Each structure stands twice: as structure tokens, then as C-alpha cells.
Amino acid sequence: MRRQQQQQQQQPPPPRRGRSLPGAVGALCRALPPHARPAPDTLRCAKFDRPQASLDFWRLLYALLKQIHGRKWTESDGIDNQIRFVKAALWYHGYDRPELYRLHSDGSAGSRELLLAFSWLLHRISLLEQLLARNRVKTGDETSVCTCEDDLPNSLKGTTEKAPKPGLEGGVDVRYLQWLNGRLRFQWRGLHTQHQEQCKLLHKIHLFTSGSHMDQVLGHLSVTETDLVRQPENYKQLLQLLESETLQLEAFLEWKQLEPVYWQWMETVLDNMAEEGNVCESQDTHIEGSELPEVTSCCPWADSLTGQIDRLSRDLTTLRDQLHKLVTRRKAEWCEKVKTREEELQKEGFSATARKIQESVELKLLDLTYLCAPPKKRMHGSHRLVFRSKHPASKMVFGRSVSKESFSTVSATEVIRELQMREASLVRELKQLQEECRQRLNEVAEGLDGVICISP
């Protein structure tokens, strides 16, 4: 008995959710951006679906999603426009709970539904991590690099944006589209010229300040650091920004420690909704949109689901190998056919036709090679520019980290080469589409009497 009592005294007591819940909610609120930071009482009122918390939650989601999508946040927007934007952004990210989209546009009710959507964003898209990355204080010169494919989410496939109708009824005037295209080209050229001028100025600053930085890995000063050297009185504003970011990061670390408590509290929110009859029996069809991360509970169907996933993975691997063999065999057959047909066309004197066929086959082979190739790691996000004068082959380097221990870099030459390959592929695809459009126009023109079509 004494040993059991001593062991019980030595074991630390389990943390009480009632005591740590205010700390978790408070840390979550402090980790959000300062201009979009709700009061902890707003979340508590939303749990009981209090109407006074609805407008605050709509404004909160509006401000956060505006930052996620890289747009300016303004308080002058009407509440109906804010609600419309929040619903559209949630639908874009895949939130398919119908109860939220049925809420009125005046923002008079639905605070609990908005609390669920806010928690879903925290878990599904890593809301806090994205906001901290976007709002961090940048002391170095950075550039945005993206080599990802422009794939639309599944919720947006098959949908198109409605174009305005300034001219003809039931359609769009072609002259208006030509004017928009010309205006877009002009703005794009102006933006490209400004970006080139910015790169020239950055190169001058990096070259003239080479060897002035304390960090030997960097070796040169950035624009912000050069401005501080010229105007030392500006360091107070930078220091305030750094202190604010430090407090926000400390709150984020505290939130990560108390995060399980928050999700346990969210389970009680779902329990209250079930008791009040707000969750219908068809919730299983929308469980993906409203699921919350499990903390301590286990699912009885997890083992069977894992087995099904493993079997499906093996089947997909086998299917990929079979497709690879089929593509290899078809490629060899097509190469033989192309060679035979090329010899025949050369004998007949149709070299131009042979070149067109060869370009078409090469384009299809490149597409098949791209589809069958293993997925390559794509670059996306901001990278710091580091000038290297000792290596002529790669003078400009994109770096993710600036520490001496781990300095993962990629040269600008590699990025340019990959972007050029992507550009060449898009140009080939554009030429193919243009040729198909010409053929369709010729077919349409043949059926029209007295109409002559002159290609541009």
C-alpha cells in the first residue's frame, strides 16, 4: 500500500482541460495577425451560437482569407461582400458543409457554424502557419519562384467564370475581348520592364556591398540593411516589427503545446450541436468537409480502411508498371511506323508534311514521358537572393536558409532552364491549338457561300 501511495504521489497529475482551455484559446488569438485578432470571448460565445459573435467571426474569416489569397484587406467593404467572399474562399478550399452556405448575407446568425469553418481551416490548410509565413518581417531580398503545375482543385473543375456582356445580347463582343487582350499585354510588358529594372538595382546593391555583411555565407547587404546603414533612425520601426513578430511566434509555440485541448473542446461543440438536433443523419456524406483531428479516440474501422488503402496502393503500382510497359512498346511501334512513313514521304517529296507529323509525334511522346515520369520536386514560395561572384556559372542563388549548417540553394540558371522548358512546352501546345482552330474555321468557311476567310 505504501509503495502504491508513493507511486501515485510521484506521478504528475493529468492536466485539467478547464484550466488550460483559456490558455489555448488565448494563445490561438495572440498567434493571429494583430489587425485580425479576435477576443477569446468571441469563440466562447460562438460555441453557444450567440448571434452577437456572428459579425465578428465573418470579419475575422474575411481578413484571414484575404491575406491567404494575397489580396488587400479593407474595412470599407460591406458585410454582404465580405460574406460572399468568405463563402467563395471556403468553397475554393473544399469546405462543403451546406449549413454554412445557407446562412443569411446579413451576418445575423451562424456563429457556431463559423467557428467550425474556422477550426476546419486551422486543420486543413494550416492557417496559422500560412499567415506567419506571409506576415513575417523580411530583412533580406527575396523573390517568388514557382515551378508548379497550374492545376485547379477538384471543386473548381468544370466551372468557368462568367464574362461580362458589354456589347451583344447573349454573347461577348469580339472587339471588347481584343481590347482586353491588348490592355493585358501592355500591363504585362510594363510589369516585366519594372521587374528588370528592380533586378538591375538589386545587382548593383549586392555588388557594391559585397564583403560588408557579418555572415560570410551571404557576404553582401540587402536593400533593407543598406537603408538602415544610410538612415539609422529607421531601426526603431524595424525593431517594433521584429518584437511584434517575436510575440506572435511565442504565442504560436504556446498554441502548439495546448492544441489538443482546443480540439477536445471542439468535440464538445459538435456534441452540443448533435444534442440540439442541428446535425442530421446525412452528416456522413459531408464528413470530409467537417472532420476534426482526432486526439485520443480511435476509430474501429481504421484497420480495415488501412488494409483497403494498402491493397489499392499495390493495385495502382501494378497498373503503373503495366502502363509503362505498354507505353514503351507503343513508342517503339510508333517510331518504326514514323520511320517507314518518313521514307515513303521523302520518296514522294512531301518533306513538309513529314516535319509536321514528326513535330506532332514528338509532342505526344513528350507528354507521355512527362506523365510516366516520377513526380519531381517542385519549387514554390519565396527564396532569398544571394549573389555569388566566385562562381561565374551560378552567380545568383536562391536560398531557403541562411545558416552555415544547412544552406540549401539552387542556382538561378537551373530555375531559368526549367522555366524555359516549360515555356517551350506551352508554345508547342499553343501552336497545336492554333492549327486545330484554323482547320475548324476552314471547315466552317467551306459551308458558307460567298465568304472568304483570310488567315492573319
Side-chain angles (χ1 to χ4, degrees):
M1 293 293 293
R2 290 183 178 179
R3 290 181 180 179
Q4 293 179 355
Q5 291 179 358
Q6 291 177 357
Q7 292 178 358
Q8 293 178 357
Q9 291 178 359
Q10 292 176 358
Q11 293 178 354
R16 295 184 180 180
R17 185 176 62 85
R19 292 183 178 180
S20 55
L21 178 60
V25 176
L28 173 60
C29 295
R30 294 194 307 272
L32 293 172
H35 64 272
R37 189 171 294 170
D41 292 339
T42 304
L43 278 73
R44 180 182 59 82
C45 294
K47 175 185 178 180
F48 301 101
D49 204 14
R50 301 290 172 79
Q52 60 267 24
S54 300
L55 286 176
D56 294 336
F57 247 108
W58 280 118
R59 296 190 181 98
L60 170 65
L61 292 176
Y62 174 75
L64 298 180
L65 291 172
K66 274 283 188 177
Q67 294 186 48
I68 292 297
H69 289 270
R71 300 181 182 179
K72 294 183 179 180
W73 174 72
T74 56
E75 296 181 354
S76 59
D77 294 341
I79 188 63
D80 53 343
N81 293 330
Q82 295 183 14
I83 292 175
R84 192 180 300 109
F85 174 80
V86 169
K87 290 182 178 180
L90 287 172
W91 179 259
Y92 171 82
H93 289 290
Y95 189 77
D96 57 354
R97 183 172 171 82
E99 286 79 2
L100 181 131
Y101 301 102
R102 296 171 187 166
L103 296 177
H104 297 290
S105 59
D106 57 355
S108 58
S111 59
R112 185 157 50 190
E113 287 293 336
L114 297 175
L115 176 61
L116 287 178
F118 172 72
S119 302
W120 184 87
L121 289 173
L122 286 176
H123 169 58
R124 179 58 63 91
I125 68 172
S126 301
L127 181 64
L128 286 180
E129 288 81 351
Q130 290 195 40
L131 291 173
L132 289 174
R134 283 185 173 272
N135 298 327
R136 63 186 178 89
V137 180
K138 300 177 182 179
T139 58
D141 299 327
E142 298 182 357
T143 184
S144 178
V145 179
C146 180
T147 58
C148 304
E149 298 293 337
D150 297 332
D151 293 333
L152 289 174
N154 295 328
S155 60
L156 295 182
K157 288 184 177 180
T159 61
T160 56
E161 185 179 358
K162 294 182 179 180
K165 302 178 180 180
L168 303 176
E169 294 183 358
V172 181
D173 194 350
V174 178
R175 293 170 296 181
Y176 178 71
L177 295 179
Q178 292 176 347
W179 176 77
L180 286 179
N181 187 25
R183 183 180 179 184
L184 181 61
R185 286 176 177 270
F186 178 75
Q187 292 181 353
W188 179 257
R189 290 175 182 174
L191 179 62
H192 182 65
T193 303
Q194 294 177 6
H195 187 68
Q196 286 181 330
E197 188 67 23
Q198 182 185 9
C199 291
K200 293 179 181 178
L201 295 176
L202 286 177
H203 180 264
K204 289 182 179 180
I205 294 175
H206 294 170
L207 183 62
F208 293 158
T209 61
S210 180
S212 303
H213 204 283
M214 296 178 59
D215 192 347
Q216 298 299 326
V217 177
L218 295 177
H220 58 79
L221 300 179
S222 63
V223 175
T224 304
E225 294 166 345
T226 306
D227 183 68
L228 288 178
V229 173
R230 295 179 58 189
Q231 300 177 357
E233 63 274 6
N234 293 339
Y235 81 93
K236 294 183 179 180
Q237 183 180 2
L238 179 62
L239 183 61
Q240 292 177 357
L241 294 176
L242 291 174
E243 290 177 351
S244 177
E245 184 181 10
T246 302
L247 295 176
Q248 198 172 351
L249 290 173
E250 291 177 353
F252 176 74
L253 294 177
E254 183 181 357
W255 153 254
K256 296 304 291 185
Q257 294 178 355
L258 301 175
E259 186 178 4
V261 180
Y262 177 82
W263 295 120
Q264 290 178 358
W265 178 69
M266 286 303 302
E267 289 181 355
T268 62
V269 175
L270 293 176
D271 293 339
N272 292 340
M273 295 181 66
E275 292 177 358
E276 296 178 6
N278 291 335
V279 178
C280 58
E281 296 179 356
S282 61
Q283 184 183 3
D284 295 337
T285 58
H286 305 286
I287 192 66
E288 183 180 358
S290 59
E291 64 177 357
L292 295 174
E294 298 292 339
V295 181
T296 56
S297 62
C298 59
C299 301
W301 40 264
D303 296 334
S304 61
L305 183 60
T306 304
Q308 294 178 5
I309 293 175
D310 294 337
R311 288 193 298 271
L312 181 60
S313 177
R314 290 193 297 268
D315 295 341
L316 290 176
T317 304
T318 305
L319 181 60
R320 185 192 63 182
D321 297 338
Q322 294 177 357
L323 288 175
H324 182 70
K325 294 179 181 179
L326 180 61
V327 168
T328 305
R329 187 174 68 254
R330 291 286 180 86
K331 180 180 178 180
E333 293 176 358
W334 274 106
C335 288
E336 293 179 0
K337 291 182 180 180
V338 167
K339 290 181 180 180
T340 305
R341 185 61 177 168
E342 183 179 5
E343 293 176 357
E344 295 177 357
L345 291 175
Q346 286 179 355
K347 292 178 181 180
E348 298 175 0
F350 296 104
S351 57
T353 307
R355 283 195 299 269
K356 292 182 179 180
I357 296 176
Q358 184 177 2
E359 291 177 358
S360 177
V361 171
E362 289 178 355
L363 181 60
K364 292 181 180 180
L365 289 177
L366 286 175
D367 294 339
L368 290 176
T369 305
Y370 175 77
L371 292 174
C372 297
K376 187 179 179 181
K377 186 178 180 181
R378 301 290 180 178
M379 290 182 294
H380 182 80
S382 298
H383 293 69
R384 180 161 185 172
L385 293 173
V386 180
F387 180 74
R388 298 294 177 84
S389 58
K390 296 181 180 180
H391 304 283
S394 59
K395 289 187 177 181
M396 191 65 71
V397 173
F398 300 110
R400 273 290 189 184
S401 174
V402 295
S403 61
K404 295 183 180 180
E405 291 78 4
S406 60
F407 187 66
S408 59
T409 62
V410 57
S411 64
T413 307
E414 298 177 3
V415 179
I416 293 174
R417 186 183 301 112
E418 186 171 356
L419 293 177
Q420 287 176 346
M421 293 174 60
R422 177 65 177 162
E423 180 188 9
S425 177
L426 292 175
V427 169
R428 288 193 300 268
E429 185 178 356
L430 176 61
K431 290 182 178 179
Q432 184 179 3
L433 292 175
Q434 288 177 346
E435 185 64 28
E436 292 178 359
C437 290
R438 290 193 186 98
Q439 294 178 1
R440 292 178 183 177
L441 287 176
N442 292 333
E443 293 176 358
V444 172
E446 291 177 357
L448 299 176
D449 297 332
V451 177
I452 300 177
C453 295
I454 302 175
S455 59

